[in-house]
Amino acid sequence: MTATPAHTALWPAPHARGAVDATVHVPGSKSVTNRALVLASLASEPGWLRRPLRSRDTLLMAGALRALGVGIEETVSSSSSPAGAGTPTGPGEAWRVIPSTLHGPATVDVGNAGTVMRFLPPVATLADGPVRFDGDPRAYERPLHGVIDALRALGARIDDEGRGALPLTVHGGGGLDGGPVEIDASSSSQFVSALLLSAPRFNQGVEVRHTGSSLPSMPHIRMTVDMLRAVGAQVDTPESGGEPNVWRVTPGALLGRDLTIEPDLSNAQPFLAAALVTAGTVVIPDWPERTTQPGDRLREIFTEMGGSCELTERGLEFTGSGAVHGIDVDLGEVGELTPGIAAVAALADSPSTLRGVAHLRLHETDRLAALTKEINELGGDVTETADGLHIRPRRLHGGIFHTYDDHRMATAGAILGLAVDDVQIENVATTAKTLPDFPELWAGMLGN
């Protein structure tokens, strides 16, 4: 596979000289922020998002919704408690979302954000006029057929020249009939979430029936359902007694809410990994007791790999034991955690098998191929399987770790750099996609 051009600046990944001992304030969840922006934009009254994530993906979502006519005002409240060190957006920051009649013509830049490229075409069907979607070169390679085909079956007019991918134009008619539709969402659960989020505004709502063999990242669908219900939508799901692989949303008005965004637990991964790798302790404040975020599985996975954790009034306290163990784990529901787990596994005392993540070949980059190539070029022994990776730990050496414009590749390289001298991360700036100021947060954790 082709790496990002060599002229991109290299970042020397800091090497840990001892056990870390830090409190890290992780910014808000990208997944929650972008879903909340969509739902607030489709509501019948204004709403508030407090402590939203300000990153490339969320700013692209906000910019796209503004282009469709939604008002999004950014404010900072002076009455809130001060932000912790390294917090990219303080607790006082809030976005006021003011719904409006959606309109075209408009152009949406999706960047390489899966949530923007998949969640907004259904929204665009509600606009009056054409909405063109474009984005980064890699975005052209990511599958959109599930959303495109489903919207056409529901009555939408979409021009994509048969690509099933970007660029495309949705010819909004000011509404959509909706109704039953079958899709194969085995390449991305976002296909299901995309249809559900806009469904309350469809004339007949929607009944989404997944016809594929497997459905990855189910926690993200549960997140979508919970957030829909929180703003007044009626949703029937397999978990609530409905048919397997069928979700039904009833048409109706959505309420404007005052929502505080949870910390992004998947973005907490590299910091928890640092505690595991260095036999240190990291505290992540505001870790929720109950959440649909996939990152919550880190408590279980990293404990099995040699750490221990406790949820206290300070937050999640995670401590490494001094040993890092291999793991055999199905990551099908939490595939976004794979790069960080692979990095830790490469430093373990026994082999690991990561399964259930064939769909990662269609993410920001082909993550399975990228992890295999980059870890092996540092002296590792990683092989791809049909649906994952097999990792046999070996003594690693320094070198350039390429990121392929993938934020989770960059943080995986940083984890390796804790234990391996002279690792240089190519294009660490790509972490701004979901984790602004990552190098500063990382240095702060290490006391640098």
Side-chain angles (χ1 to χ4, degrees), residues 414-430:
I415 294 168
L416 292 171
L418 292 171
V420 182
D421 276 319
D422 300 321
V423 173
Q424 298 183 80
I425 310 297
E426 170 268 339
N427 191 20
V428 74
T430 194

Side-chain angles (χ1 to χ4, degrees), residues 377-436:
E377 289 195 353
L378 300 183
D381 185 1
V382 181
T383 54
E384 282 192 62
T385 65
D387 72 338
L389 300 172
H390 187 60
I391 302 168
R392 289 163 292 273
R394 291 174 58 178
R395 184 177 181 83
L396 303 180
H397 56 71
I400 296 174
F401 192 94
H402 297 96
T403 64
Y404 310 90
D405 291 325
D406 185 334
H407 56 131
R408 300 207 193 278
M409 286 295 295
T411 53
I415 294 168
L416 292 171
L418 292 171
V420 182
D421 276 319
D422 300 321
V423 173
Q424 298 183 80
I425 310 297
E426 170 268 339
N427 191 20
V428 74
T430 194
T431 53
K433 185 176 192 291
T434 63
L435 187 51

Side-chain angles (χ1 to χ4, degrees), residues 169-196:
T169 298
V170 177
H171 295 274
L176 196 69
D177 281 343
V181 66
E182 294 186 349
I183 64 169
D184 181 352
S186 55
S187 60
S188 176
S189 68
Q190 289 176 350
F191 295 166
V192 174
S193 288
L195 296 169
L196 300 184

Side-chain angles (χ1 to χ4, degrees), residues 300-317:
E300 169 195 337
I301 293 168
F302 278 173
T303 295
E304 187 174 342
M305 296 186 81
S308 62
C309 65
E310 183 180 6
L311 202 55
T312 72
E313 59 184 23
R314 295 177 62 202
L316 182 70
E317 299 183 19

